PDB file of all heavy atoms in Angstrom:
ATOM      1  N   ALA A   1      -8.116  -5.220  13.546  1.00  0.00           N
ATOM      2  CA  ALA A   1      -8.667  -5.272  12.190  1.00  0.00           C
ATOM      3  C   ALA A   1      -8.802  -6.721  11.738  1.00  0.00           C
ATOM      4  O   ALA A   1      -7.905  -7.535  11.953  1.00  0.00           O
ATOM      5  CB  ALA A   1      -7.774  -4.496  11.227  1.00  0.00           C
ATOM      6  N   LYS A   2      -9.935  -7.037  11.132  1.00  0.00           N
ATOM      7  CA  LYS A   2     -10.210  -8.402  10.696  1.00  0.00           C
ATOM      8  C   LYS A   2     -10.093  -8.499   9.176  1.00  0.00           C
ATOM      9  O   LYS A   2     -10.794  -7.801   8.434  1.00  0.00           O
ATOM     10  CB  LYS A   2     -11.618  -8.808  11.149  1.00  0.00           C
ATOM     11  CG  LYS A   2     -11.743  -8.824  12.678  1.00  0.00           C
ATOM     12  CD  LYS A   2     -13.161  -9.049  13.128  1.00  0.00           C
ATOM     13  CE  LYS A   2     -13.241  -9.076  14.652  1.00  0.00           C
ATOM     14  NZ  LYS A   2     -12.822  -7.779  15.256  1.00  0.00           N
ATOM     15  N   LYS A   3      -9.216  -9.379   8.751  1.00  0.00           N
ATOM     16  CA  LYS A   3      -8.927  -9.513   7.323  1.00  0.00           C
ATOM     17  C   LYS A   3     -10.162  -9.923   6.534  1.00  0.00           C
ATOM     18  O   LYS A   3     -10.410  -9.432   5.430  1.00  0.00           O
ATOM     19  CB  LYS A   3      -7.802 -10.532   7.121  1.00  0.00           C
ATOM     20  CG  LYS A   3      -7.299 -10.616   5.690  1.00  0.00           C
ATOM     21  CD  LYS A   3      -6.093 -11.539   5.588  1.00  0.00           C
ATOM     22  CE  LYS A   3      -5.560 -11.574   4.164  1.00  0.00           C
ATOM     23  NZ  LYS A   3      -4.365 -12.471   4.054  1.00  0.00           N
ATOM     24  N   HIS A   4     -10.977 -10.819   7.101  1.00  0.00           N
ATOM     25  CA  HIS A   4     -12.135 -11.319   6.355  1.00  0.00           C
ATOM     26  C   HIS A   4     -13.205 -10.247   6.161  1.00  0.00           C
ATOM     27  O   HIS A   4     -14.088 -10.392   5.318  1.00  0.00           O
ATOM     28  CB  HIS A   4     -12.726 -12.561   7.043  1.00  0.00           C
ATOM     29  CG  HIS A   4     -13.490 -12.276   8.301  1.00  0.00           C
ATOM     30  ND1 HIS A   4     -12.859 -12.084   9.516  1.00  0.00           N
ATOM     31  CD2 HIS A   4     -14.822 -12.137   8.541  1.00  0.00           C
ATOM     32  CE1 HIS A   4     -13.769 -11.853  10.441  1.00  0.00           C
ATOM     33  NE2 HIS A   4     -14.972 -11.869   9.886  1.00  0.00           N
ATOM     34  N   LEU A   5     -13.104  -9.156   6.945  1.00  0.00           N
ATOM     35  CA  LEU A   5     -14.040  -8.043   6.777  1.00  0.00           C
ATOM     36  C   LEU A   5     -13.432  -6.914   5.941  1.00  0.00           C
ATOM     37  O   LEU A   5     -14.060  -5.871   5.744  1.00  0.00           O
ATOM     38  CB  LEU A   5     -14.466  -7.492   8.143  1.00  0.00           C
ATOM     39  CG  LEU A   5     -15.341  -8.411   8.997  1.00  0.00           C
ATOM     40  CD1 LEU A   5     -15.641  -7.761  10.350  1.00  0.00           C
ATOM     41  CD2 LEU A   5     -16.645  -8.759   8.281  1.00  0.00           C
ATOM     42  N   GLY A   6     -12.205  -7.129   5.464  1.00  0.00           N
ATOM     43  CA  GLY A   6     -11.551  -6.119   4.645  1.00  0.00           C
ATOM     44  C   GLY A   6     -11.229  -4.849   5.406  1.00  0.00           C
ATOM     45  O   GLY A   6     -11.189  -3.769   4.825  1.00  0.00           O
ATOM     46  N   GLN A   7     -10.965  -4.979   6.710  1.00  0.00           N
ATOM     47  CA  GLN A   7     -10.767  -3.788   7.540  1.00  0.00           C
ATOM     48  C   GLN A   7      -9.324  -3.275   7.483  1.00  0.00           C
ATOM     49  O   GLN A   7      -8.372  -4.025   7.656  1.00  0.00           O
ATOM     50  CB  GLN A   7     -11.121  -4.099   8.999  1.00  0.00           C
ATOM     51  CG  GLN A   7     -12.609  -4.324   9.239  1.00  0.00           C
ATOM     52  CD  GLN A   7     -12.893  -4.734  10.679  1.00  0.00           C
ATOM     53  OE1 GLN A   7     -12.102  -5.436  11.304  1.00  0.00           O
ATOM     54  NE2 GLN A   7     -14.026  -4.309  11.199  1.00  0.00           N
ATOM     55  N   HIS A   8      -9.193  -1.985   7.201  1.00  0.00           N
ATOM     56  CA  HIS A   8      -7.932  -1.259   7.318  1.00  0.00           C
ATOM     57  C   HIS A   8      -8.295   0.065   7.982  1.00  0.00           C
ATOM     58  O   HIS A   8      -8.862   0.946   7.348  1.00  0.00           O
ATOM     59  CB  HIS A   8      -7.294  -1.015   5.937  1.00  0.00           C
ATOM     60  CG  HIS A   8      -6.869  -2.273   5.242  1.00  0.00           C
ATOM     61  ND1 HIS A   8      -5.659  -2.891   5.466  1.00  0.00           N
ATOM     62  CD2 HIS A   8      -7.523  -3.049   4.336  1.00  0.00           C
ATOM     63  CE1 HIS A   8      -5.576  -3.986   4.725  1.00  0.00           C
ATOM     64  NE2 HIS A   8      -6.694  -4.104   4.035  1.00  0.00           N
ATOM     65  N   PHE A   9      -7.994   0.199   9.263  1.00  0.00           N
ATOM     66  CA  PHE A   9      -8.441   1.361  10.018  1.00  0.00           C
ATOM     67  C   PHE A   9      -7.570   2.584   9.704  1.00  0.00           C
ATOM     68  O   PHE A   9      -6.339   2.530   9.809  1.00  0.00           O
ATOM     69  CB  PHE A   9      -8.406   1.081  11.524  1.00  0.00           C
ATOM     70  CG  PHE A   9      -9.353  -0.008  11.959  1.00  0.00           C
ATOM     71  CD1 PHE A   9      -8.983  -0.923  12.935  1.00  0.00           C
ATOM     72  CD2 PHE A   9     -10.616  -0.119  11.398  1.00  0.00           C
ATOM     73  CE1 PHE A   9      -9.858  -1.931  13.353  1.00  0.00           C
ATOM     74  CE2 PHE A   9     -11.497  -1.105  11.808  1.00  0.00           C
ATOM     75  CZ  PHE A   9     -11.117  -2.016  12.780  1.00  0.00           C
ATOM     76  N   LEU A  10      -8.204   3.666   9.335  1.00  0.00           N
ATOM     77  CA  LEU A  10      -7.511   4.923   9.114  1.00  0.00           C
ATOM     78  C   LEU A  10      -7.025   5.460  10.452  1.00  0.00           C
ATOM     79  O   LEU A  10      -7.767   5.454  11.432  1.00  0.00           O
ATOM     80  CB  LEU A  10      -8.469   5.926   8.454  1.00  0.00           C
ATOM     81  CG  LEU A  10      -7.922   7.322   8.161  1.00  0.00           C
ATOM     82  CD1 LEU A  10      -6.830   7.268   7.102  1.00  0.00           C
ATOM     83  CD2 LEU A  10      -9.055   8.238   7.689  1.00  0.00           C
ATOM     84  N   ASN A  11      -5.766   5.922  10.504  1.00  0.00           N
ATOM     85  CA  ASN A  11      -5.250   6.438  11.772  1.00  0.00           C
ATOM     86  C   ASN A  11      -4.687   7.856  11.649  1.00  0.00           C
ATOM     87  O   ASN A  11      -3.950   8.307  12.525  1.00  0.00           O
ATOM     88  CB  ASN A  11      -4.193   5.485  12.368  1.00  0.00           C
ATOM     89  CG  ASN A  11      -3.053   5.196  11.402  1.00  0.00           C
ATOM     90  OD1 ASN A  11      -2.702   6.037  10.580  1.00  0.00           O
ATOM     91  ND2 ASN A  11      -2.480   4.002  11.493  1.00  0.00           N
ATOM     92  N   ASP A  12      -5.056   8.552  10.571  1.00  0.00           N
ATOM     93  CA  ASP A  12      -4.583   9.915  10.362  1.00  0.00           C
ATOM     94  C   ASP A  12      -5.753  10.889  10.495  1.00  0.00           C
ATOM     95  O   ASP A  12      -6.628  10.951   9.624  1.00  0.00           O
ATOM     96  CB  ASP A  12      -3.952  10.030   8.965  1.00  0.00           C
ATOM     97  CG  ASP A  12      -3.281  11.374   8.726  1.00  0.00           C
ATOM     98  OD1 ASP A  12      -3.856  12.401   9.130  1.00  0.00           O
ATOM     99  OD2 ASP A  12      -2.199  11.394   8.120  1.00  0.00           O
ATOM    100  N   PRO A  13      -5.800  11.671  11.587  1.00  0.00           N
ATOM    101  CA  PRO A  13      -6.939  12.571  11.810  1.00  0.00           C
ATOM    102  C   PRO A  13      -7.054  13.673  10.760  1.00  0.00           C
ATOM    103  O   PRO A  13      -8.154  14.169  10.500  1.00  0.00           O
ATOM    104  CB  PRO A  13      -6.678  13.153  13.203  1.00  0.00           C
ATOM    105  CG  PRO A  13      -5.220  12.942  13.448  1.00  0.00           C
ATOM    106  CD  PRO A  13      -4.831  11.716  12.705  1.00  0.00           C
ATOM    107  N   ASN A  14      -5.942  14.074  10.142  1.00  0.00           N
ATOM    108  CA  ASN A  14      -6.003  15.112   9.106  1.00  0.00           C
ATOM    109  C   ASN A  14      -6.730  14.620   7.863  1.00  0.00           C
ATOM    110  O   ASN A  14      -7.546  15.336   7.267  1.00  0.00           O
ATOM    111  CB  ASN A  14      -4.598  15.580   8.735  1.00  0.00           C
ATOM    112  CG  ASN A  14      -3.925  16.346   9.865  1.00  0.00           C
ATOM    113  OD1 ASN A  14      -4.581  17.139  10.548  1.00  0.00           O
ATOM    114  ND2 ASN A  14      -2.649  16.102  10.070  1.00  0.00           N
ATOM    115  N   ILE A  15      -6.448  13.380   7.473  1.00  0.00           N
ATOM    116  CA  ILE A  15      -7.145  12.799   6.324  1.00  0.00           C
ATOM    117  C   ILE A  15      -8.612  12.587   6.669  1.00  0.00           C
ATOM    118  O   ILE A  15      -9.496  12.838   5.843  1.00  0.00           O
ATOM    119  CB  ILE A  15      -6.466  11.487   5.877  1.00  0.00           C
ATOM    120  CG1 ILE A  15      -5.096  11.802   5.271  1.00  0.00           C
ATOM    121  CG2 ILE A  15      -7.340  10.735   4.863  1.00  0.00           C
ATOM    122  CD1 ILE A  15      -4.291  10.593   4.877  1.00  0.00           C
ATOM    123  N   ALA A  16      -8.876  12.166   7.901  1.00  0.00           N
ATOM    124  CA  ALA A  16     -10.273  12.003   8.334  1.00  0.00           C
ATOM    125  C   ALA A  16     -11.016  13.327   8.210  1.00  0.00           C
ATOM    126  O   ALA A  16     -12.157  13.378   7.725  1.00  0.00           O
ATOM    127  CB  ALA A  16     -10.320  11.501   9.772  1.00  0.00           C
ATOM    128  N   ARG A  17     -10.377  14.411   8.628  1.00  0.00           N
ATOM    129  CA  ARG A  17     -11.009  15.726   8.537  1.00  0.00           C
ATOM    130  C   ARG A  17     -11.254  16.124   7.075  1.00  0.00           C
ATOM    131  O   ARG A  17     -12.298  16.662   6.736  1.00  0.00           O
ATOM    132  CB  ARG A  17     -10.137  16.775   9.238  1.00  0.00           C
ATOM    133  CG  ARG A  17     -10.790  18.148   9.327  1.00  0.00           C
ATOM    134  CD  ARG A  17     -10.042  19.078  10.266  1.00  0.00           C
ATOM    135  NE  ARG A  17      -8.653  19.276   9.848  1.00  0.00           N
ATOM    136  CZ  ARG A  17      -7.601  18.775  10.494  1.00  0.00           C
ATOM    137  NH1 ARG A  17      -7.787  18.043  11.579  1.00  0.00           N
ATOM    138  NH2 ARG A  17      -6.374  18.998  10.063  1.00  0.00           N
ATOM    139  N   ASN A  18     -10.283  15.824   6.204  1.00  0.00           N
ATOM    140  CA  ASN A  18     -10.454  16.142   4.776  1.00  0.00           C
ATOM    141  C   ASN A  18     -11.617  15.370   4.159  1.00  0.00           C
ATOM    142  O   ASN A  18     -12.348  15.906   3.324  1.00  0.00           O
ATOM    143  CB  ASN A  18      -9.167  15.824   4.013  1.00  0.00           C
ATOM    144  CG  ASN A  18      -8.031  16.764   4.345  1.00  0.00           C
ATOM    145  OD1 ASN A  18      -8.265  17.862   4.847  1.00  0.00           O
ATOM    146  ND2 ASN A  18      -6.806  16.342   4.100  1.00  0.00           N
ATOM    147  N   ILE A  19     -11.788  14.122   4.586  1.00  0.00           N
ATOM    148  CA  ILE A  19     -12.896  13.309   4.065  1.00  0.00           C
ATOM    149  C   ILE A  19     -14.228  13.889   4.513  1.00  0.00           C
ATOM    150  O   ILE A  19     -15.154  14.067   3.716  1.00  0.00           O
ATOM    151  CB  ILE A  19     -12.755  11.841   4.529  1.00  0.00           C
ATOM    152  CG1 ILE A  19     -11.506  11.202   3.895  1.00  0.00           C
ATOM    153  CG2 ILE A  19     -13.997  11.039   4.165  1.00  0.00           C
ATOM    154  CD1 ILE A  19     -11.177   9.836   4.459  1.00  0.00           C
ATOM    155  N   VAL A  20     -14.330  14.223   5.795  1.00  0.00           N
ATOM    156  CA  VAL A  20     -15.576  14.778   6.329  1.00  0.00           C
ATOM    157  C   VAL A  20     -15.886  16.130   5.691  1.00  0.00           C
ATOM    158  O   VAL A  20     -17.041  16.426   5.355  1.00  0.00           O
ATOM    159  CB  VAL A  20     -15.499  14.894   7.869  1.00  0.00           C
ATOM    160  CG1 VAL A  20     -16.698  15.669   8.408  1.00  0.00           C
ATOM    161  CG2 VAL A  20     -15.457  13.498   8.496  1.00  0.00           C
ATOM    162  N   GLU A  21     -14.856  16.941   5.490  1.00  0.00           N
ATOM    163  CA  GLU A  21     -15.065  18.268   4.902  1.00  0.00           C
ATOM    164  C   GLU A  21     -15.457  18.199   3.433  1.00  0.00           C
ATOM    165  O   GLU A  21     -15.899  19.201   2.860  1.00  0.00           O
ATOM    166  CB  GLU A  21     -13.814  19.131   5.094  1.00  0.00           C
ATOM    167  CG  GLU A  21     -13.606  19.562   6.541  1.00  0.00           C
ATOM    168  CD  GLU A  21     -12.334  20.370   6.756  1.00  0.00           C
ATOM    169  OE1 GLU A  21     -11.537  20.487   5.798  1.00  0.00           O
ATOM    170  OE2 GLU A  21     -12.150  20.872   7.881  1.00  0.00           O
ATOM    171  N   ALA A  22     -15.319  17.037   2.827  1.00  0.00           N
ATOM    172  CA  ALA A  22     -15.732  16.867   1.425  1.00  0.00           C
ATOM    173  C   ALA A  22     -17.256  16.756   1.290  1.00  0.00           C
ATOM    174  O   ALA A  22     -17.791  16.861   0.181  1.00  0.00           O
ATOM    175  CB  ALA A  22     -15.067  15.634   0.822  1.00  0.00           C
ATOM    176  N   LEU A  23     -17.945  16.541   2.415  1.00  0.00           N
ATOM    177  CA  LEU A  23     -19.410  16.507   2.376  1.00  0.00           C
ATOM    178  C   LEU A  23     -19.956  17.878   1.982  1.00  0.00           C
ATOM    179  O   LEU A  23     -19.538  18.902   2.517  1.00  0.00           O
ATOM    180  CB  LEU A  23     -19.977  16.119   3.745  1.00  0.00           C
ATOM    181  CG  LEU A  23     -19.844  14.656   4.175  1.00  0.00           C
ATOM    182  CD1 LEU A  23     -20.202  14.511   5.649  1.00  0.00           C
ATOM    183  CD2 LEU A  23     -20.733  13.752   3.322  1.00  0.00           C
ATOM    184  N   ARG A  24     -20.921  17.887   1.060  1.00  0.00           N
ATOM    185  CA  ARG A  24     -21.536  19.139   0.621  1.00  0.00           C
ATOM    186  C   ARG A  24     -23.004  19.250   1.054  1.00  0.00           C
ATOM    187  O   ARG A  24     -23.619  20.280   0.922  1.00  0.00           O
ATOM    188  CB  ARG A  24     -21.439  19.263  -0.905  1.00  0.00           C
ATOM    189  CG  ARG A  24     -20.018  19.427  -1.422  1.00  0.00           C
ATOM    190  CD  ARG A  24     -19.454  20.775  -1.031  1.00  0.00           C
ATOM    191  NE  ARG A  24     -18.070  20.933  -1.461  1.00  0.00           N
ATOM    192  CZ  ARG A  24     -17.020  20.732  -0.680  1.00  0.00           C
ATOM    193  NH1 ARG A  24     -17.205  20.333   0.577  1.00  0.00           N
ATOM    194  NH2 ARG A  24     -15.805  20.917  -1.120  1.00  0.00           N
ATOM    195  N   LEU A  25     -23.575  18.145   1.541  1.00  0.00           N
ATOM    196  CA  LEU A  25     -24.961  18.115   2.031  1.00  0.00           C
ATOM    197  C   LEU A  25     -25.942  18.742   1.026  1.00  0.00           C
ATOM    198  O   LEU A  25     -26.634  19.714   1.335  1.00  0.00           O
ATOM    199  CB  LEU A  25     -25.066  18.828   3.382  1.00  0.00           C
ATOM    200  CG  LEU A  25     -24.124  18.325   4.481  1.00  0.00           C
ATOM    201  CD1 LEU A  25     -24.262  19.188   5.724  1.00  0.00           C
ATOM    202  CD2 LEU A  25     -24.391  16.871   4.799  1.00  0.00           C
ATOM    203  N   PRO A  26     -26.037  18.187  -0.171  1.00  0.00           N
ATOM    204  CA  PRO A  26     -26.957  18.748  -1.164  1.00  0.00           C
ATOM    205  C   PRO A  26     -28.408  18.502  -0.790  1.00  0.00           C
ATOM    206  O   PRO A  26     -28.723  17.629   0.030  1.00  0.00           O
ATOM    207  CB  PRO A  26     -26.591  17.979  -2.440  1.00  0.00           C
ATOM    208  CG  PRO A  26     -26.093  16.655  -1.942  1.00  0.00           C
ATOM    209  CD  PRO A  26     -25.379  16.969  -0.657  1.00  0.00           C
ATOM    210  N   ASP A  27     -29.303  19.274  -1.397  1.00  0.00           N
ATOM    211  CA  ASP A  27     -30.749  19.073  -1.236  1.00  0.00           C
ATOM    212  C   ASP A  27     -31.202  19.133   0.218  1.00  0.00           C
ATOM    213  O   ASP A  27     -32.140  18.453   0.625  1.00  0.00           O
ATOM    214  CB  ASP A  27     -31.184  17.724  -1.841  1.00  0.00           C
ATOM    215  CG  ASP A  27     -30.837  17.620  -3.310  1.00  0.00           C
ATOM    216  OD1 ASP A  27     -30.853  18.663  -3.992  1.00  0.00           O
ATOM    217  OD2 ASP A  27     -30.538  16.515  -3.779  1.00  0.00           O
ATOM    218  N   GLY A  28     -30.521  19.940   1.027  1.00  0.00           N
ATOM    219  CA  GLY A  28     -30.942  20.083   2.411  1.00  0.00           C
ATOM    220  C   GLY A  28     -30.755  18.830   3.248  1.00  0.00           C
ATOM    221  O   GLY A  28     -31.513  18.580   4.196  1.00  0.00           O
ATOM    222  N   VAL A  29     -29.762  18.016   2.926  1.00  0.00           N
ATOM    223  CA  VAL A  29     -29.509  16.778   3.670  1.00  0.00           C
ATOM    224  C   VAL A  29     -29.207  17.088   5.134  1.00  0.00           C
ATOM    225  O   VAL A  29     -28.372  17.948   5.448  1.00  0.00           O
ATOM    226  CB  VAL A  29     -28.326  16.005   3.037  1.00  0.00           C
ATOM    227  CG1 VAL A  29     -27.835  14.902   3.973  1.00  0.00           C
ATOM    228  CG2 VAL A  29     -28.733  15.401   1.695  1.00  0.00           C
TER     229      VAL A  29
END
């Protein structure tokens, strides 16, 4: 992770899944 890019890598797959599942794909996206 590079500090100047503001990187903090997520390492919890459960939270990753919760974020992805929050997508609702409106308007036929």
Side-chain angles (χ1 to χ4, degrees):
K2 297 173 179 62
K3 188 174 182 180
H4 74 279
L5 292 178
Q7 291 176 325
H8 295 276
F9 296 141
L10 179 66
N11 55 31
D12 187 319
N14 292 320
I15 291 176
R17 186 168 59 251
N18 290 340
I19 294 171
V20 171
E21 289 178 353
L23 286 169
R24 293 291 177 262
L25 305 176
D27 302 328
V29 167

